[in-house]
Every structure is written in structure tokens, then in C-alpha cells.
């Protein structure tokens, strides 16, 4: 995102060692890293994700750990007037010593810490030592001092050996480290981001922000906001250039840190668009600081020019909630994102690219960075810029109340400044959100609402807790966003209807304003059909669990563990009765599985069918509903969870379903009692006109009935193209052996094909489909044409190589072959590239059903 060429130098510090403070032996360490992974690499602990090893590793977070290295500073570098130690990520309570002198004490994982070390650094043999105090012991100390305690249902204090003592909310540290209902409890310590020396003299531009005041196709009115640190008063000229255009201004600097602003105007700018609406051009802005004709410093930043707005306008049904990019309303399609690993240093650039490229392949245009994880690495946002994926960015607060003492509030304010400053040039950032689910969990203005938290406290305590909440999420965080990134909206909590200071503030399952998290399907065991009747203006969370595939399960479990109720399988299910909820829903909708491996397949298909029901219901409700972000795209360890890709990045059935349901134009078929409705939904910016043809066939491919009708849907909208009577369609036909196939043809091309069944998969009368596979040459190499003699339900293609297929988990109707291609992961430096799948295995539901 940024490129430096200034009168300063930086040097990453390496050759690290670590130890427990009560041990003598120092071991090699990797930085960035953490204690857990360093212990693993040195053979001191067992693999954390295997079996139930998590339980045996809870001692680690109660120790004091030390990291050390030595470094030299050549004379010419030592001569610079300023010499600083920059710590971009210390996790979390750290005392930093240079040559035995304490230079800083850190207490926030999410902040950048800088120490002036000029006075204590010498030319050779400098010693740097960082002591990480136990986050658990620090939390317990703060809990005792607080005397109140706060609810934190996902803080797995029991497995951590703390009983009912919840301490996560006292530390500015990734909440998911303390456990979640999809993740383990590994409360890490260590140097988790870059640590380096920085030297400079004279002045340095410490930050450049290209504020986008007004952006349209005609003109971009911008401001270069440049923060400069200068050693003395001076007169400078600031030159800013991009794409062959330059601007200049003269400024008088004073000693210290100040901000100067230079207005910029670009005629007919190249606009950055979210995926599906256009390209993602980026501008590089280079800032030069000149004094008396001499260039003193230079810094470059990249950004995309766009206008992103959250539109909330009252209407007849409540109030809208949607994003507008360059004046175009966007139906948000995507998922929630959690950290890709329990140990953040294990997340490589390739893993980030795989996730974001998978999102793009699946037709996402938005990802929500959920508030119980981390502010992601720069690479994540750079990839979202590149692929046109909008980012709903939470601040890191989730599912807990938080303290409001002045030290905590001040700490959060600086955290917010650091992260807004770091991310605000990324065009992908569409929203800053204060927290996840706290407003609805507490439900201040609804005495019987919420999760029962208020009942744990006296009225005086409740008033104090809510006042602290408002200080954080209604004042401090929005003030930082307004001051530092005024072109991006702030939303206090997800979900909520809006700040009204009465009961209408809190979101329900289908409230007509704000955003909604709908969890009655799953937690309350409501049927999938209820996804169709609980629809809000923006569905920012909903989801259903599945297991990963057998290859992934075998990475943490042995053959003896292959049962729903085995100790290992229950340990790799963090949602209480989760395994049995999957089984309960599977009994409703799916055929009985032959064995445990078959049940893994059935669970994946089950999840996919549920998410398809939800996604398409939300898209059919456009433009009342303008966003659908299911929970969740990824995992932080191998586990049964709500993810659509498992820990290893392997696509579950849901990821393929999402790819189809998030296409630019879809046909969605909905059955309600005797009415079968054919909807056409389009994200295109021009109208779609064509013919909707439908054919009803039996499972052998025999045509039973057919018809067609002209179909037209306006730009960026949804419409019902056809309605039929179910009873008339099924007259003389067997509902368990009949399928409707609909095709939307426009401009001579098949835009979309969709099947509809009249019974759940559980009741379909399937027979051996005799699937045939034929290799064919396509434009990008080998493709595979699949056909079947009778209906093949949920065809699953598997390969030796790691990668994806262009389509998978699809139905093969006799007489309607399907052509697919294998895309190998990470081939040739790309996210995916056509390749041989190695051994190709093809199966369908009948192969896994009893």
C-alpha cells in the first residue's frame, strides 16, 4: 500500500530467542510469531489442533515469556538525530528493554508502539529484551480491581482453568483467543507484527492520507493530508503528483508533529468499483517535501478513487440500509470473516490470496471483518482493493460488555486512531462498525430483551455499564472515524436499527430498519423455510454448521474418533449441542448416511441447501433487503463450524452454492403452498430481457410438462417472471421422482439454469445414475463433461491436488450434461490456474445414502 524513499532508514530485527522467565535455556524463535508456535517448532508441545491437545496447553498463557535479540548500528546510522524502536504488534502486555533500560510498556495488541532509543543505543552489541506478562494474570488482577465483572459467554474460562472468571474484556487483545463457539482457547503472547529500528534526521512525513471529499465520474475533489514530524521550524514546499498531474503548496512547519493539507482535483478520474460494477484502478500519489530547492523526503501511497456511502433513508416500510458505490446502489453479497488461524503468524500471503480469490470466484462483493478477531494484515486489504471486495470493518469488540475507566477508554482511542490511520487509504473500506452484537445483547431500552445480561446487575451497576458502553461506541469510536476518515460511515453495533435511545434501537429477527442477525434457524432449531419469512433490510449474519471433509477431519482425529459423540469430535465442536443439531436437521432434510464419512458429506450438502434458501430469499426481496452476508467464510482451525471453506481452504458445498446463488443474474424458484414462483434477480446496470423456459422431467429424463414465457427484469432489481400451480404441475406425476429445470435465455445464451424439487432430498427416489465422465479440450486446457442416465443428486468431484472445480455439488439431470474444469491452488503464482486434478473421484448422494 505504501512505498518509502525518504531520508530515513529502517532495519528489521532478527535472530530472536525466547524462554519462559523461570527457565535458563533460550530457544530459537520466529518473529513475527507467538509463544505457542515457537514452542511447537522447538518440539516442546504437541500439535495444538490435534485431538484434544488444546486442553493440555492452557498452562502457556499463565507464564511470563521473554524474547531477546542483539543488534549493531553502523556509525553512519547511529549519527541520525532520531533513532526509534518501532513495534507494530506486541501481544499484549510487554515491557521492552534496550541495554537493560526500560523504553516502553505496552498494553494493547492492536496498537503500534514507538520508543525513542537514541540515548541508550550504541554501535555494537545492543541487547533488546521483551518481557511478556501473562494476559490471564493481568486479566485476573483487573477483574479483582474492577469488582464488577462483565458477561462474556464466548470466553471459555472453564477450559482455561479459571472456572467462571471471565477476563477477556479487560485486555485489548483478540477476543477469539479466549475461545469462541467455533474456535479454541489459545491465549497467545509474542511479537505478532514487524519490529524494527528507524532512524531519521531533519523531518519525515509520518503519514499521508488522500481524503476523498467528493468523487464522481466528472471530477474527484481530494485533499492530501500529510502528517510531518520536523526537528525545527522551517519553510517547505509540498509537491504531490499522480498519473502525470502535479500540485504544490508552501507551508511553514514548526518543531514537532503537525498536519498540512493540499487540495487536489482530478478531472474525469478512473473510478474504483466494487466487484461486478467495473474495474479497480489504483492511483499512486507521491508526496515530496522540498526546502530551498532540495528534496528532503518523499513518501508514496496508493488508493482507489470512489464514493462509498451507507444509505439510510426513511421509507414506507421503515428505513433503508444499503451501500452505494459511485452513486450506484449495491446489493451486498458475501460472508463474515474471522482470522484464518488461531496463531496469526501462520497466516501467509498465499492463504490470504486464496481466501479473497475464493470470495471473488464465488461472486462476492463484500466481506465483513468481524469484531472478535483482529484488524487484518495489510495484505488482506490490498487483496480486497485488487479484487473489488468491499470491507465492512468492525472494531475489535464482540459479545461482551467492556470497562469504562479512563485508562481503558484512552487506550481504545489510540487503538482506533492507529487502525483507522493504517486502513483509511484502502478503497475497499465501506463501513466502520463499533462492535458485534453488544447493543442487542444488552438491550438497554427493552427490559425483557437481550440475552439476560442486565438481570445480573443492580440498577446502579446497569447505569454505569451502559454509560461506559455509550462512551466507547457512541462517542470515542465515531469521533475518531469522523476526524480521520470522514468519507466513511460509522455504525455503532451490528445488529441494530439506529441510535434512537428507545426500544426501537435494538434489532429483532425482521425489524424494518438497520441490519439483522437471524439465528433462529440453528440456535432455536427453526426450519430452513423460516429464512424466507425473517428478512430485514440487510442480513449481516445468519448461518448453519457442517463438518469439513474427511481429509480435513483426519488431520485432527484417528479412525477410533470417527463418531459424532467421540471425545475428539465433540472437542472439535465448540457450539455445545452442535453435532446433534446437525444430525437433527439432517434427519429432517437428508437421507440417512451409510457411515460417519458419508455423514460428513451429508452435513456439507445440508448446510449448502440451508444457505441457498437464505441467500436467494434475501436476493428475491431486493430492494427491501440490500445485503446478505452469511456466517462465515473461513475457519481458524480444523473444526465443525459454520464455515463455507475449512481451515485448509478446501471449499465445502456451501462455497459452490454461494458461487451460484451470488451470480450476477439468477433464477430463483420458490414454492409456497400451491404457488410456484420463478424469480429473476439481476445486479446488472441494464435491463435483462429474454425467455424463461421450464421443463418438468422424471428422474430418468422423460419430459413430463414444459412451457416458456418472456422474462424481463429491470436494472439492479428483482421480478417475478412466472407463477404456476403446484397441484396442476404434479397432476399425474410423482413428486418424489420429478424435477423442474428452468433456463433463462437472453441474447441467444443461457444466462442461468436452476432445478426445483417437490420434496426434500430425504424423500427423493434416487437410483444408480451411472455417471459418465469424458475429457474434452476447452479453451483453457482439459475439461470434463459429466452426464448421467438417471438423476444424480449432489455430484461431488474430488481430486488429488489442492484446488477447486469451476462447479461442484451440482445435480445432473439426464440429457443435460455439465462441463467443469479443475483449477489448482497457488499454481504459477496465481490463486487458481487450470491443471490436471490427478486422480478424479466422482460420486453423488446415492453413494453416501443408506
Amino acid at each position: 500500500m505504501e512505498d518509502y524513499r525518504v531520508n530515513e532508514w529502517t532495519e528489521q530485527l532478527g535472530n530472536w530467542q525466547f524462554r519462559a522467565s523461570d527457565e535458563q535455556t533460550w530457544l530459537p524463535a520466529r518473529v513475527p510469531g507467538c509463544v505457542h508456535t515457537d514452542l511447537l517448532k522447538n518440539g516442546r508441545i504437541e500439535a495444538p489442533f490435534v485431538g484434544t491437545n488444546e486442553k493440555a496447553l492452557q498452562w502457556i498463557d499463565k507464564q511470563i515469556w521473554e524474547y531477546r535479540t542483539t543488534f549493531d548500528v553502523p556509525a553512519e546510522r547511529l549519527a541520525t538525530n532520531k533513532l526509534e524502536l518501532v513495534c507494530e504488534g506486541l501481544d499484549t502486555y510487554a515491557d521492552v528493554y534496550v541495554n537493560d533500560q526500560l523504553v516502553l510498556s505496552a498494553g494493547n495488541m492492536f496498537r503500534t508502539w514507538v520508543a525513542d532509543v537514541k540515548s541508550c543505543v550504541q554501535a555494537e552489541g545492543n541487547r533488546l529484551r521483551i518481557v511478556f506478562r501473562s494476559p490471564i494474570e493481568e486479566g485476573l488482577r483487573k477483574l479483582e480491581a474492577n469488582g464488577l465483572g462483565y458477561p462474556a459467554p464466548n470466553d471459555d474460562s472453564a477450559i482455561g482453568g479459571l472456572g467462571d472468571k471471565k477476563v477477556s474484556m479487560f485486555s485489548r487483545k483478540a477476543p477469539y483467543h479466549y475461545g469462541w463457539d467455533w474456535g479454541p482457547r489459545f491465549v497467545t503472547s509474542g511479537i505478532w507484527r514487524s519490529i524494527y529500528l528507524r532512524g531519521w534526521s531533519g523531518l519525515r512525513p509520518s503519514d499521508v492520507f488522500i481524503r476523498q471529499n467528493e468523487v464522481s465520474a466528472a471530477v474527484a475533489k481530494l485533499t492530501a493530508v500529510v502528517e510531518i514530524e520536523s526537528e525545527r521550524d522551517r519553510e517547505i514546499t509540498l509537491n504531490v503528483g499522480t498519473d502525470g498531474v502535479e500540485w504544490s503548496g508552501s507551508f511553514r512547519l514548526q518543531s514537532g508533529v503537525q498536519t498540512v493539507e493540499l487540495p487536489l482535483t482530478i478531472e474525469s478520474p478512473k473510478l474504483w468499483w466494487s466487484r461486478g460494477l467495473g474495474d479497480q484502478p489504483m492511483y499512486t500519489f507521491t508526496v515530496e517535501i522540498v526546502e530551498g530547492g532540495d528534496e528532503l523526503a518523499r513518501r508514496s501511497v496508493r488508493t482507489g478513487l470512489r464514493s462509498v456511502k451507507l444509505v439510510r433513508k426513511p421509507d414506507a416500510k421503515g428505513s433503508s440500509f444499503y451501500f452505494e458505490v459511485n452513486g450506484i446502489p449495491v446489493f451486498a453479497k458475501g460472508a463474515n470473516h474471522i482470522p484464518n488461524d488461531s496463531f496469526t503468524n501462520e497466516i501467509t500471503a498465499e492463504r490470504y490470496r486464496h481466501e479473497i480469490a475464493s470470495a471473488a470466484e464465488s461472486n462476492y462483493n463484500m466481506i465483513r471483518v468481524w469484531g472478535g478477531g483482529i484488524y487484518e494484515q495489510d495484505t488482506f486489504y490490498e487483496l480486497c482493493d485488487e479484487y473489488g471486495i468491499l470491507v465492512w470493518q468492525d472494531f475489535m469488540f464482540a459479545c461482551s460488555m467492556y470497562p469504562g475507566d479512563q485508562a481503558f477508554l484512552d487506550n481504545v482511542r489510540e487503538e482506533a486512531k492507529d487502525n483507522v490511520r493504517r486502513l483509511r487509504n484502502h478503497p475497499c473500506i465501506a463501513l466502520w462498525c463499533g462492535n458485534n452484537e453488544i447493543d442487542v445483547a444488552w438491550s438497554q431500552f427493552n427490559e425483557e430483551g437481550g440475552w439476560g445480561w442486565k438481570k445480573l446487575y443492580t440498577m446502579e451497576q446497569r447505569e454505569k455499564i451502559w454509560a461506559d458502553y455509550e462512551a466507547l461506541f457512541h462517542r470515542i469510536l465515531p469521533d475518531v472515524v469522523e476526524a480521520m476518515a470522514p468519507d466513511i460511515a460509522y455504525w455503532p453495533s451490528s445488529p441494530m436499527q439506529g441510535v434512537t435511545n428507545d426500544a426501537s434501537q435494538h434489532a429483532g429477527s425482521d425489524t424494518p430498519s438497520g441490519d439483522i442477525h437471524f439465528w433462529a434457524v440453528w440456535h432455536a432449531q427453526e426450519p430452513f423455510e423460516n429464512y424466507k419469512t425473517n428478512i430485514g433490510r440487510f442480513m449481516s449474519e445468519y448461518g448453519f454448521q457442517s463438518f469439513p471433509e474427511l481429509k480435513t477431519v483426519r488431520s485432527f482425529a484417528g479412525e477410533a474418533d470417527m463418531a459424532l459423540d467421540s471425545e475428539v469430535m465433540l472437542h472439535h465442536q465448540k457450539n455445545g449441542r452442535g453435532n446433534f443439531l446437525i444430525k437433527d436437521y439432517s434427519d429432517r432434510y437428508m437421507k440417512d448416511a451409510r457411515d460417519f464419512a458419508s455423514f460428513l458429506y451429508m452435513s456439507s450438502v445440508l448446510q449448502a441447501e440451508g444457505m441457498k434458501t437464505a441467500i436467494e430469499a434475501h436476493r428475491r426481496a431486493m430492494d427491501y433487503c440490500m445485503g446478505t452476508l452469511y456466517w462465515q467464510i473461513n475457519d481458524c482451525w480444523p473444526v465443525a463450524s459454520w464455515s463455507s471453506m475449512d481451515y485448509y481452504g478446501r471449499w465445502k458445498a456451501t462455497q459452490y452454492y454461494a458461487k451460484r446463488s451470488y451470480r450476477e443474474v439468477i433464477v430463483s424458484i420458490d414454492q409456497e403452498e400451491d404457488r410456484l414462483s420463478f424469480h429473476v434477480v439481476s445486479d446488472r446496470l441494464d435491463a435483462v430481457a429474454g425467455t424463461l423456459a421450464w421443463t418438468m422431467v422424471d428422474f430418468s429424463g422423460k419430459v413430463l410438462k414444459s412451457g416458456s414465457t418472456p422474462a424481463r427484469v429491470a436494472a439492479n432489481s428483482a421480478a417475478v417472471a412466472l407463477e404456476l400451480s403446484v397441484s396442476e404441475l404434479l397432476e399425474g406425476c410423482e413428486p418424489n421422482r420429478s424435477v423442474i429445470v428452468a433456463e433463462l435465455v437472453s441474447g441467444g445464451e443461457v444466462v442461468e439454469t436452476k432445478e426445483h424439487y417437490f420434496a426434500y432430498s430425504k424423500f427423493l427416489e434416487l437410483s444408480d445414475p451411472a455417471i459418465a465422465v469424458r475429457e474434452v479440450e476447452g479453451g483453457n486446457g482439459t475439461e470434463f463433461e459429466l452426464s448421467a442416465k438417471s438423476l444424480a443428486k449432489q455430484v461431488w468431484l474430488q481430486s488429488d491436488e489442492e484446488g477447486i472445480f469451476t462447479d461442484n455439488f451440482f445435480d445432473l439431470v439426464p440429457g443435460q450434461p455439465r462441463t467443469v474444469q479443475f483449477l489448482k491452488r497457488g499454481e504459477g503464482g496465481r490463486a487458481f490456474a487450470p491443471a490436471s486434478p490427478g486422480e478424479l473421484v466422482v460420486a453423488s448422494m446415492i453413494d453416501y445414502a443408506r
Side-chain angles (χ1 to χ4, degrees), residues 63 67 102 319 366 372 393 518 560 607 641 700:
Q63 297 279 101
Y67 280 72
L102 179 66
S319 182
M366 178 173 275
Q393 177 68 53
F518 178 64
Q607 178 195 39
S641 81
S700 69

Side-chain angles (χ1 to χ4, degrees), residues 794-805:
Q794 299 289 354
V795 176
W796 183 24
L797 308 178
Q798 302 169 70
S799 63
D800 281 348
E801 299 285 351
E802 290 291 339
I804 65 173
F805 288 88

Side-chain angles (χ1 to χ4, degrees), residues 433-449:
C433 179
N435 69 70
N436 176 74
E437 294 188 340
I438 304 178
D439 180 89
V440 71
W442 185 262
S443 288
Q444 171 71 9
F445 304 107
N446 181 350
E447 186 60 28
E448 301 306 316

Side-chain angles (χ1 to χ4, degrees), residues 516-587:
I516 286 175
H517 295 186
F518 178 64
W519 281 107
V521 176
W522 181 260
H523 289 301
Q525 296 179 255
E526 292 187 6
F528 286 162
E529 288 78 1
N530 283 16
Y531 280 131
K532 300 192 293 185
T533 56
N534 291 271
I535 300 176
R537 309 311 290 262
F538 195 104
M539 306 300 293
S540 48
E541 265 195 40
Y542 59 92
F544 193 87
Q545 277 201 5
S546 72
F547 282 86
E549 62 182 85
L550 184 60
K551 189 190 309 184
T552 296
V553 171
R554 282 179 171 154
S555 74
F556 65 81
E559 290 304 315
D561 305 313
M562 298 296 170
L564 274 179
D565 58 354
S566 74
E567 182 184 10
V568 169
M569 218 57 64
L570 290 173
H571 188 76
H572 283 254
Q573 166 59 266
K574 293 296 186 176
N575 186 236
R577 293 185 61 248
N579 287 0
F580 304 102
L581 282 175
I582 296 172
K583 180 66 165 60
D584 175 76
Y585 276 91
S586 188
D587 289 343

Side-chain angles (χ1 to χ4, degrees), residues 179-208:
W180 218 265
D181 60 1
W182 37 256
R185 183 184 177 96
F186 292 118
V187 186
T188 57
S189 291
I191 306 166
W192 77 291
R193 282 184 170 155
S194 294
I195 182 167
Y196 53 91
L197 288 174
R198 178 172 67 204
W200 58 279
S201 297
L203 61 71
R204 62 181 295 267
S206 50
D207 184 67
V208 176

Side-chain angles (χ1 to χ4, degrees), residues 42-112:
N42 282 279
R44 295 302 182 95
I45 61 172
E46 298 295 321
F49 296 161
V50 172
T52 62
N53 288 348
E54 174 196 357
K55 296 178 182 179
L57 301 181
Q58 296 304 306
W59 60 272
I60 298 171
D61 59 32
K62 298 168 185 66
Q63 297 279 101
I64 298 173
W65 297 94
E66 299 182 27
Y67 280 72
R68 76 177 185 183
T69 189
T70 59
F71 62 92
D72 299 332
V73 183
E76 68 274 12
R77 291 190 164 184
L78 196 59
T80 52
N81 295 343
K82 297 286 187 178
L83 185 58
E84 298 165 332
L85 176 67
V86 182
C87 311
E88 293 187 348
L90 297 175
D91 178 16
T92 292
Y93 297 100
D95 295 321
V96 181
Y97 298 86
V98 175
N99 294 329
D100 299 322
Q101 180 175 328
L102 179 66
V103 296
L104 70 85
S105 290
N108 188 323
M109 175 181 180
F110 303 124
R111 288 176 59 182
T112 295

Side-chain angles (χ1 to χ4, degrees), residues 690-747:
T691 300
L692 180 69
W694 60 273
T695 305
M696 187 168 167
V697 300
D698 67 15
F699 287 180
S700 69
K702 178 184 176 181
V703 176
L704 305 174
K705 298 176 183 180
S706 63
S708 64
T709 185
R712 187 182 188 281
V713 61
N716 218 3
S717 64
V720 177
L722 176 67
E723 291 190 337
L724 299 173
S725 164
V726 174
S727 56
E728 291 177 8
L729 282 169
L730 290 177
E731 187 175 348
C733 303
E734 299 179 67
N736 295 350
R737 287 190 49 81
S738 301
V739 57
I740 280 187
V741 181
E743 280 189 347
L744 177 64
V745 180
S746 180

